[in-house]
Amino acid sequence: MCGKTTLKFILLLFTLLIISFSQPALAADTTNGAKIFDVHCTGCHINGSNIVRRGKNLKLKALKKYDMDSIEAISSLVANGKNNMSAYKDRLSEQEIQDVAAYVLQQAEKSWR
């Protein structure tokens, strides 16, 4: 009896582990993204603008023009940088990058209001 109980427990534990690792990552937290944006991005991108290159701002029209209107595209840019923009993959976690990307896209869709 003790062997069957142990086996059932091991199977249950194994099943729970499989389920927990197969769940998608937590959804992006735009509240956290706003905090990260304020600390790391506002210096160049206040209210979605760009003080270095005006046309490459964070407004929805520009994001669409440069195929940057998705969380994946913005996350990649934040992580890896490009031209004058620094890479943040060594300063922010993957979740923080996802959070700030979701915040940027959310703000762009609301015209940065």
Side-chain angles (χ1 to χ4, degrees), residues 23-89:
Q23 297 295 317
L26 293 175
D29 178 353
T30 55
T31 302
N32 188 45
K35 292 174 188 174
I36 294 164
F37 188 89
D38 286 345
V39 171
H40 296 281
C41 312
T42 298
C44 293
H45 297 288
I46 191 163
N47 296 322
S49 65
N50 185 331
I51 66 166
V52 179
R53 296 185 69 193
R54 285 194 289 186
K56 299 257 179 151
N57 58 58
L58 304 178
K59 310 290 178 158
L60 192 56
K61 183 178 177 181
L63 293 178
K64 286 182 178 191
K65 178 179 179 180
Y66 297 107
D67 293 321
M68 297 300 295
D69 57 331
S70 70
I71 292 175
E72 295 79 16
I74 298 168
S75 294
S76 178
L77 183 61
V78 172
N80 301 307
K82 186 175 181 181
N83 299 326
N84 293 340
M85 181 162 160
S86 301
Y88 284 84
K89 64 183 170 195

